[in-house]
Amino acid sequence: MRVLEQKLRDILNVDIFKEGRKKELFVGRPFYLDYEITQVLVSDAWKHRVKGIPQGTFLLAFYDGEDGVDEVILLRALTPSKLPTDNDVVSSMIEYYKDGSDISGRAGSATSSKLDDFTRYEFSFSGLQCRVLGAFYKLKEKIIQDGEETYVEKVEFGADLENFYSANNYSVYKATDSVLREIVNQRDGTIVAGNENEFKIGTVRYSSSRRFQSSIGDVEVYISPQDFVGKRTALFGMTRTGKSNTVKKIIEATAEISQKAPNSALPSSPNELQPFTDEGAPQYRVGQIIFDVNGEYANPNLQDEGTAIFELYRDQVDRYSIVDKTDKGFKVLKVNFYNELQAGFKLITNGLSDQSSTYIKSFCTVDLTEPENYRMPPNEKTSDERHAAIAYDKKVAIYKCCLYEAQFKLPAQSNRVKFYGDAKTINQIVPDLAPHNGLTIEEASRWFKEVFDAMDNDSHRQKFDDYRQNNKKDFFDEDMLALLTFLTRKPGPGKQASYSGYRLLRQFQGLHTELSRSSFEIEILKALRLGRIVIIDLSQGDEKIRDLYSEKITRKIFEDSMDRFTKTLTNNYIQFYFEEAHNLFPKKEEKDLSDVYNRLAKEGAKLHLGMLYATQEVSSISSNILKNTQNWFIAHLNNEDELKELKKYYDFSDFVSSLLKFSSGNDKGFVRMKTYTNPFVVPVQIDKFLANRNV
């Protein structure tokens, strides 16, 4: 790695105006030029000499009009273009075909062609249409040192043309070797490509066919992790085109730069440190969280030479799983619904959000928030605080009874509840149970069911009236009645049990564990704040459960980051990785901007939250997320609808035809890459991820 970095730093000092204009790299001359397009006259002999001009090749058009003007236009080869003489050439070829004449042989090779020299020469020329990507030019920058002015010459790149001259004033050369390295590693701003905080992602590759390219040395392409941390990154392509491999390379790059952070812990008070050091490393370690739908990041697998991300960074990784795999080093991704009331109830309400029944909606709106000063001694509470605590205890008790009836396993330390029942009135309905002394969950369930039915019993109705008169409120408020409807499965006191009620909760049993004492998302957040890598193995979970956990964890991290931001506290960078993102993200037609993934895309930058998402189809992702995406990796797409969507972004329209073509065994990892600080798309063959670096 360090050898390649030093090599690239040395090469990037190359003089593009000298090295890029070698005679053997000449490919032709423009005959048309404007701000967007140029058309170049090329010949077969020139193309052969430079070992071909595949679609997407970077070319340099040097200005020849006058001495002392150092400017070169950067071009990308697109498609053949027509010459004014093409019709005559085609007519001549047809005549030769009809006569049975041999017109074979490469232009310039007289020994293999029976054409006369003039005709062979005329046939060898063709037109090439190119995209204008911008221009390199030299500037003199004034520097004042010790009171004296000096001027230093430097090269800049502009992503447009400030001016252009007649096409005949330019000559075009193919960019190769050191010059090509400088072009593809071009950066906006002050970042120096190839510095020690950059990461080799792959090599330049123009085409699926590599007959010429196999005989040419590789040209390394680097990425700056600064382009990714706190930014949004998209990977699109059909299955088995190398998306996951690219994700792993980015995770690896981020982990490498994170280790160079000078500070390992966040400060407890506001500070004014810049997000990055002068050397380009983040000030604080970067947390990374991977939602591993297929289990390939968290578990050993053959495609990574027998290992995976978790083994490459074993000391920095925490792994979570929905199923119990503690024997394999995983933590259980479950909630103790009896202890973590808010977390468990939120999972339930999220899971029931698509239900339309009124009683279910009433259940989902129950407020289980702990009242203010709830844990203060009773003699220190105001009257209102005591009443709020009494109501809260009853709601919690009924909710736990619902969980018990739905067969959620009871934890040993939470098998009893205690609440106020009023000895003079309501307690007389079930005289053998005294709730103020504490009841088992089973006893409490029986108590609430009997008391609920008693509300419609003539012999007990007076007790509820007396309680209302003495306390100026009903014994059961609206939230409690909604919970009781779930517990009894009855539409009202004394009615038949006709509702599904607590049975609806059984689908969430897989989210519950009686063993945990703290919420998993709090543990995950703490790990990410320390710059650790968290892998959530969702490969063995139900799809609905997977979505619930992903949303829950993402929202917790987002809310914590927003809270720190509003308190002017520092956020370290945290990176989210979403595989099969179409299953989690809002659809393109959805307009709900409050969705956590939309908010992560639109507001994450200021909170130092980055996200990388991978999926097969561009059209499957909300436009709100696409419009806020800075980094793009595009592999093979197999239909024009997706390409039509892709054409809306950056200069991907130049690659539409090549993205449709795919050779399954040969093209894995072949992507078109646009990063935040690189002003144009670069075609890249992504390096293979080798978690075992000795392989």
Side-chain angles (χ1 to χ4, degrees), residues 530-547:
L530 294 173
R532 295 183 63 79
I533 301 172
V534 176
I535 304 177
I536 312 297
D537 186 357
L538 302 173
S539 59
Q540 295 174 279
D542 178 80
E543 182 177 339
K544 195 169 186 177
I545 293 175
R546 177 195 67 196
D547 295 350

Side-chain angles (χ1 to χ4, degrees), residues 318-441:
D318 296 313
R319 293 183 293 165
Y320 288 81
S321 176
I322 292 177
V323 299
D324 189 355
K325 296 197 293 185
T326 52
D327 58 324
K328 297 181 179 179
F330 285 80
K331 298 179 181 179
V332 180
L333 196 67
K334 294 185 178 182
V335 171
N336 188 325
F337 278 57
Y338 290 98
N339 289 354
E340 303 163 55
L341 296 176
Q342 287 288 337
F345 188 65
K346 193 167 186 178
L347 286 172
I348 289 174
T349 55
N350 284 346
L352 296 177
S353 60
D354 58 345
Q355 297 287 336
S356 58
S357 297
T358 302
Y359 86 95
I360 299 176
K361 289 183 177 180
S362 297
F363 174 83
C364 291
T365 59
V366 169
D367 184 7
L368 289 179
T369 305
E370 187 177 281
E372 188 176 356
N373 298 327
Y374 171 76
R375 299 184 184 277
M376 287 177 57
N379 60 336
E380 296 181 19
K381 294 178 181 176
T382 66
S383 175
D384 287 342
E385 288 172 343
R386 286 197 299 273
H387 284 302
I390 289 170
Y392 177 71
D393 286 339
K394 279 191 282 189
K395 285 194 289 187
V396 168
I398 302 171
Y399 172 63
K400 288 185 175 181
C401 290
C402 290
L403 296 177
Y404 172 77
E405 295 293 347
Q407 300 174 4
F408 282 63
K409 290 184 179 179
L410 279 166
Q413 70 276 15
S414 299
N415 61 352
R416 295 184 67 82
V417 292
K418 186 177 180 180
F419 56 93
Y420 178 69
D422 193 73
K424 295 181 180 180
T425 57
I426 308 302
N427 280 7
Q428 296 176 17
I429 297 173
V430 192
D432 60 318
L433 297 177
H436 57 280
N437 292 329
L439 303 174
T440 66
I441 301 292

Side-chain angles (χ1 to χ4, degrees), residues 76-123:
R76 176 188 286 125
L78 297 180
T79 61
S81 64
K82 290 183 69 67
L83 297 177
T85 58
D86 277 356
N87 289 338
D88 294 335
V89 170
V90 171
S91 296
S92 298
M93 284 187 180
I94 291 174
E95 290 302 319
Y96 273 102
Y97 292 147
K98 288 180 178 178
D99 293 343
S101 302
D102 185 359
I103 61 169
S104 63
R106 188 175 66 249
S109 176
T111 59
S112 59
S113 176
K114 296 180 180 180
L115 290 172
D116 62 88
D117 290 344
F118 178 77
T119 304
R120 187 174 62 252
Y121 179 76
E122 286 294 318
F123 282 6

